[in-house]
Amino acid sequence: MIKNTSIATLFLISILVYPAGLIAQTCGCAGAPLLSSQSISSAAQGNLLLGITYEYDNIDDLYQGTNELDNRSVRRSTQSTLFEVHYGITDRLTASGTFTFINKRRETGLQTPSSNVVRTEGFGDGLVMLKYVLHKNTIRSQYQLAVGGGAKIPFGSFDHTNNGLQLNADMQPGTGAWDGVFWSYLSKTFAPHTTLNLFWTNSFRLTGEADRFSNTNDSYRFGNEIVSTLGAGNKLVGNLSYVFQVQYRQVGKNERNGSELPNTGGKWIDLVPALSYQLTDKVSMRVSGQLPVYRDLVGTQSTTTYSLSGSIFYNFDGKTIF
Amino acid sequence: MKMNKKITQFGLILLTMGLALTACDTTGSSSDNGEWLIPESEIRDGGPGRDGIPSIDDPQFAPVEEIDFIVGDRLVVGVKNGDDVKAYPHQILDWHEIVNDEVGGTPFALTYCPLTGTGIGWHREINGSVTEFGVSGLLFRNNLIPFDRNTDSEWSQMQLRGVSGELSGTNIERVDVIETNWSTWKEMYPDSEVLTTETGFSRNYQGFAYGSSYLNNSTTLFPVNNEDDRLHEKERVHGIIANTPASEDSDVKVYVISRMDQGVEVIEDTFQGIEHVVVGSSSLNFAASFERTINGTLLNFQPVEDALPVVMEDQEGNRWDIFGNAVSGPREGQQLTPTRSYTGYWFAWADFFPDLEIYQQQDS
C-alpha cells in the first residue's frame, strides 16, 4: 500500500515535470511548445501513457534588451493542443511521440480606432524521441538519470496566407524544418523520509532550415535553443501534488538565407508553478502557469507575458513510470 | 505476447496521428482575389502586421537647440514649405516609418523605410480628400508598403503609386525632402523644428530598429531579385526617375553621394532629354536635384561653399538653397522644379529599377 502510494506520488510529480518552455520562440513564435510536452521522463516496460495538453500563451509584452517598452500596437497569443504518447519498450527505453494543433492570433493597430486581427490554425510540428534511463531510481540509490534524443518533424503547415499573401514565419503553425532534439533528466528522491523529488532537466534543440517560399530561395531557420529547468515537487494533500520550477531558456538568432536576423533571440528566466491531481489509478490532471521573471532580448521583440496550461493523462496500466 | 500487443497498440496510435496530420487541410486564414500592380509573389509579410509598426499621427516638435538625443552623424529627413521647416530623425523614423503631419499648412506624410533607406514625402490629399497613411506590415522587394486609411489601398513607397485597392494606379504627389546628417541640418536650419521622442510610444530611440550593422553590411532581410554588384548594397545613392509611373521599366539614373566632393559639388547633367542639376556633398552627406530650366531659361549653376543652406548660384546672380528656393538675386522667391527623385540604398534602387544608370564623372 505504501509502495503504491509512493508510486502514485512519483507519477504525479513526474508528469508535473514540465521541462522546457519553448512557449514562444521569442517573437518568432512559430511552432508548438514541443519540448515542454516532454512531461514523462520514462515509462515502465509495456506501459502506455497518453496525454493531452492545452496551453495558452499570452504574448503582449514588448522588450528591448532587459527593458520593457510601452506596447500599444500589437497583441498576440498562441493556443496549442498537444497529444502525447509514451510507451515503455523496455524498463529503460521509452518511445515518445508528440503531435500538436496550433492556433495563433495577432491583433495589430491597437493604437488606432480599428485594429486588425489575423488568425492561423493548423497542425503544428511533431516530435518523436527515444529516452533511455541510464540509472534507475532504487531504494538504495535514489536518483534517476535519463537521456534522450529525437527529431522534430515538420508536419506543420507553414504556408498560411492572409489576403493571398504568405504570412511571416512567426504566424505559421509549423516551421517547415527538421530539428534535432537532445534531452537529459536527473532526479533525486528521499524515501522513506519524504516524497520530495528534486530534478534537473536540460534540452537542446538544433534547428534546421526551411525553404519558405517555393518560388524563391528564401530559407529561414529559427535559432538553436537551450532550456534548463530546476524543480522540486512533493505531495501536498491526498492526491494533490505540486511542482515548482525555475526555467532558464536561451535562444539564438533566427536566420534568413544564412544571415542573422535582428530582433530575434534572447534569454529568459521563468517561474513555472504547477498542481497535479490523481483522479483515479489511471487518470491524472495537471494545471500550470508560467511567469517570466527575467528577460534579456536581442533588439526589440514581443515576448510572452504569461502562459497557462491544463493537461489530462491516461496511464493504461495504472502503474509506474520510472 | 503482451508486450508485442502493446507495441502494436503504440504503433497504431502513432500511425493514426501521423495520418491525421497529413490528411487534414490546415488552411486557417483567408485569401482574397485582391489584384496587385506589383508581382504578388514578391510581396512579403514583414511580421509586425497592419499598423503593428505604429505611425506617428500626432507628432510633437521642439526647436533644434532643445534636441539632445540625436547623434551628429545620424541622418534626418528635412522638409520646408515657406517658413515652416521641420526635421524628422531616422532614430524615430526607424521605429514608426510614417509620420502623418503638415508643413506650411500642407498635409503630408513622411514615409521612411529603414530596410531600403528611403525617406520620401507624400502629399496626403488624394482626389480631394485628406487621408492618413499607416504601415501595412507588407514589403515589396524589402520596401515599405504603406496603406491609406481612407480607402485601405496599399501603396508602393519606391514606386510612388497605389498598387492595390481602390486607389491602385494612382500616382502619389511627392513633397520634396532632403536627407542629411544632423550636424549639417543644424547648420542649415538652426531655427527649425525637430520631431521629438514624445511619440506616445516607448521605443529605443537611441538605437537602430534593425541593428547598427544593417546600415553598412551587405545583408538584406528579404531576398533581392535583381542583384547588382556595381556598388555596395548599402551605398547611398540619389536617384532620378524619368517616367511616370515608376516601375521596373522606368528610366532611372543614380548619383553616388560618397563619390561627390567633400565640399559642395554641382553636377549638370542630361537624362532622358531633361537638363537637371544635382547638388550634393559627401562630407555634408546630402544630395538634391532640380530641373535647370525655370520659366524657359536654362540656368548654369556653380557650387557655393560655406553658406548653408545656400548651395549654388547661377549666371544671373541668384543664390539657391538646398530646397531649390532662390534666396537672393533677381529670381528671389522663385523655386526650381524638383526632379522625381529620392535617396536610398543601392541594392533597393537596383532591385526596383534593374536597368538603371550610374552617373560617372565623364557623363556631364
Side-chain angles (χ1 to χ4, degrees):
Chain A
M1 184 64 187
I2 293 172
K3 189 182 172 187
N4 285 342
T5 307
S6 298
I7 288 171
T9 304
L10 289 174
F11 171 72
L12 276 174
I13 291 169
S14 68
I15 61 172
L16 281 165
V17 171
Y18 195 68
L22 230 182
I23 297 296
Q25 297 169 24
T26 73
C27 174
C29 21
L34 280 167
L35 291 186
S36 68
S37 70
Q38 298 313 295
S39 47
I40 305 297
S41 60
S42 60
Q45 182 174 3
N47 193 17
L48 183 65
L49 296 160
L50 298 179
I52 184 167
T53 296
Y54 167 80
E55 180 171 307
Y56 174 80
D57 302 316
N58 179 293
I59 311 168
D60 273 0
D61 287 354
L62 183 69
Y63 265 70
Q64 183 261 317
T66 57
N67 300 316
E68 184 171 5
L69 303 178
D70 173 26
N71 178 15
R72 290 173 43 205
S73 61
V74 182
R75 180 185 297 144
R76 308 176 67 125
S77 64
T78 300
Q79 298 175 73
S80 309
T81 307
L82 301 102
F83 309 94
E84 298 176 56
V85 186
H86 305 271
Y87 182 73
I89 298 169
T90 71
D91 269 356
R92 291 179 182 270
L93 186 63
T94 298
S96 298
T98 307
F99 306 91
T100 59
F101 190 84
I102 308 295
N103 182 309
K104 287 170 177 272
R105 184 180 187 276
R106 179 182 76 189
E107 184 177 5
T108 58
L110 299 178
Q111 74 282 12
T112 67
S114 55
S115 60
N116 182 264
V117 176
V118 173
R119 288 189 180 90
T120 56
E121 64 177 25
F123 287 104
D125 294 343
L127 176 65
V128 291
M129 288 185 75
L130 282 175
K131 298 167 181 172
Y132 188 77
V133 177
L134 293 171
H135 185 275
K136 294 178 73 172
N137 194 354
T138 64
I139 195 69
R140 291 189 178 180
S141 182
Q142 293 191 40
Y143 75 95
Q144 187 193 33
L145 177 62
V147 294
K152 187 195 65 107
I153 305 170
F155 289 126
S157 53
F158 61 103
D159 56 357
H160 283 252
T161 59
N162 182 43
N163 295 329
L165 301 172
Q166 190 162 330
L167 285 161
N168 198 44
D170 61 3
M171 281 300 290
Q172 302 291 347
T175 65
W178 287 79
D179 296 349
V181 175
F182 308 92
W183 172 88
S184 70
Y185 172 80
L186 176 66
S187 69
K188 173 69 179 162
T189 54
F190 306 92
H193 311 294
T194 172
T195 51
L196 177 69
N197 179 33
L198 303 178
F199 58 89
W200 180 31
T201 62
N202 290 285
S203 305
F204 176 65
R205 191 167 61 98
L206 181 66
T207 56
E209 199 171 74
D211 285 326
R212 291 204 60 232
F213 299 95
S214 56
N215 58 339
T216 63
N217 295 318
D218 186 12
S219 66
Y220 198 97
R221 190 173 80 83
F222 285 97
N224 292 333
E225 180 175 41
I226 297 170
V227 181
S228 186
T229 306
L230 280 172
N234 205 347
K235 189 175 176 178
L236 269 176
V237 60
N239 290 337
L240 187 65
S241 300
Y242 76 89
V243 164
F244 188 79
Q245 299 169 75
V246 179
Q247 176 186 285
Y248 171 78
R249 186 162 68 97
Q250 182 172 335
V251 180
K253 287 183 173 181
N254 300 349
E255 292 180 4
R256 173 174 271 123
N257 301 322
S259 297
E260 288 184 343
L261 292 176
N263 306 317
T264 58
K267 299 167 188 168
W268 293 257
I269 297 175
D270 293 339
L271 299 181
V272 189
L275 287 173
S276 183
Y277 189 77
Q278 186 83 35
L279 291 167
T280 69
D281 278 354
K282 293 187 175 184
V283 180
S284 64
M285 56 186 293
R286 175 188 68 198
V287 291
S288 73
Q290 183 152 347
L291 287 171
V293 291
Y294 173 80
R295 289 168 272 194
D296 184 3
L297 306 188
V298 179
T300 302
Q301 302 176 43
S302 296
T303 189
T304 303
T305 309
Y306 64 86
S307 300
L308 296 171
S309 77
S311 306
I312 294 179
F313 294 93
Y314 188 84
N315 182 356
F316 274 83
D317 277 2
K319 63 174 187 182
T320 137
I321 25 192
F322 294 136
Chain B
M1 189 64 182
K2 190 179 175 187
M3 187 173 167
N4 284 343
K5 192 179 170 188
K6 287 286 174 66
I7 289 174
T8 306
Q9 197 177 18
F10 178 71
L12 281 173
I13 289 169
L14 280 180
L15 183 65
T16 306
M17 285 181 158
L19 286 173
L21 290 178
T22 52
C24 286
D25 176 9
T26 60
T27 301
S29 55
S30 64
S31 67
D32 65 16
N33 296 316
E35 290 185 7
W36 292 80
L37 295 182
I38 50 180
E40 208 169 313
S41 60
E42 295 179 47
I43 301 169
R44 296 283 184 267
D45 172 16
R50 198 177 192 82
D51 271 324
I53 294 175
S55 60
I56 298 176
D57 304 328
D58 183 21
Q60 304 296 310
F61 293 86
V64 163
E65 67 266 19
E66 291 179 17
I67 300 297
D68 58 5
F69 68 93
I70 309 177
V71 179
D73 63 350
R74 290 199 69 175
L75 298 172
V76 301
V77 181
V79 63
K80 182 177 187 297
N81 187 3
D83 293 332
D84 200 2
V85 187
K86 294 178 172 179
Y88 303 82
H90 275 208
Q91 285 170 241
I92 296 175
L93 296 175
D94 247 20
W95 301 97
H96 298 282
E97 303 193 0
I98 291 174
V99 182
N100 289 296
D101 196 12
E102 290 189 355
V103 59
T106 301
F108 97 110
L110 186 63
T111 65
Y112 173 71
C113 178
L115 299 183
T116 54
T118 41
I120 308 173
W122 286 15
H123 272 281
R124 289 201 286 123
E125 187 173 334
I126 300 167
N127 297 339
S129 65
V130 174
T131 189
E132 277 187 354
F133 288 95
V135 180
S136 73
L138 302 174
L139 297 162
F140 171 56
R141 296 186 182 171
N142 284 279
N143 179 241
L144 167 69
I145 295 182
F147 73 97
D148 73 84
R149 294 199 171 112
N150 280 1
T151 71
D152 269 347
S153 300
E154 275 99 0
W155 302 72
S156 166
Q157 191 213 22
M158 286 183 67
Q159 286 198 353
L160 304 167
R161 61 172 177 158
V163 289
S164 177
E166 187 181 323
L167 296 177
S168 182
T170 305
N171 291 306
I172 201 77
E173 191 181 344
R174 287 182 327 108
V175 172
D176 204 28
V177 299
I178 292 294
E179 186 179 73
T180 186
N181 61 39
W182 175 234
S183 303
T184 302
W185 180 263
K186 280 194 297 185
E187 188 179 341
M188 287 195 297
Y189 294 104
D191 297 325
S192 60
E193 297 283 303
V194 182
L195 182 68
T196 71
T197 57
E198 301 298 317
T199 61
F201 302 89
S202 66
R203 294 293 185 272
N204 177 23
Y205 294 123
Q206 293 297 324
F208 300 80
Y210 297 93
S212 59
S213 61
Y214 184 84
L215 276 55
N216 301 305
N217 64 21
S218 58
T219 299
T220 59
L221 255 60
F222 294 89
V224 174
N225 266 16
N226 306 301
E227 292 184 358
D228 190 329
D229 61 3
R230 284 181 289 171
L231 295 171
H232 185 275
E233 285 84 348
K234 302 293 173 58
E235 186 75 55
R236 287 177 63 241
V237 299
H238 179 80
I240 298 176
I241 304 167
N243 340 76
T244 303
S247 69
E248 215 168 284
D249 300 325
S250 295
D251 297 302
V252 170
K253 190 167 189 176
V254 300
Y255 300 80
V256 183
I257 294 174
S258 67
R259 289 181 183 171
M260 291 180 170
D261 289 348
Q262 295 260 313
V264 176
E265 179 178 356
V266 166
I267 300 167
E268 291 181 337
D269 199 6
T270 306
F271 182 53
Q272 294 298 312
I274 297 176
E275 301 271 3
H276 63 262
V277 57
V278 179
V279 58
S281 166
S282 58
S283 63
L284 299 172
N285 207 343
F286 70 82
S289 56
F290 308 94
E291 292 182 12
R292 286 172 59 196
T293 302
I294 185 166
N295 299 333
T297 304
L298 182 67
L299 298 177
N300 297 308
F301 293 96
Q302 294 294 321
V304 173
E305 303 282 357
D306 304 322
L308 293 175
V310 173
V311 287
M312 52 190 185
E313 60 190 357
D314 63 35
Q315 74 273 25
E316 295 177 349
N318 303 297
R319 288 165 71 86
W320 302 87
D321 73 11
I322 196 169
F323 284 101
N325 299 301
V327 295
S328 64
R331 293 185 186 272
E332 184 175 342
Q334 294 185 25
Q335 186 173 20
L336 298 171
T337 303
T339 60
R340 196 171 161 82
S341 60
Y342 50 84
T343 297
Y345 293 134
W346 163 250
F347 85 84
W349 277 100
D351 202 13
F352 265 74
F353 309 105
D355 297 322
L356 79 178
E357 197 179 325
I358 302 174
Y359 168 78
Q360 308 292 338
Q361 204 142 28
Q362 63 269 24
D363 288 357
S364 55

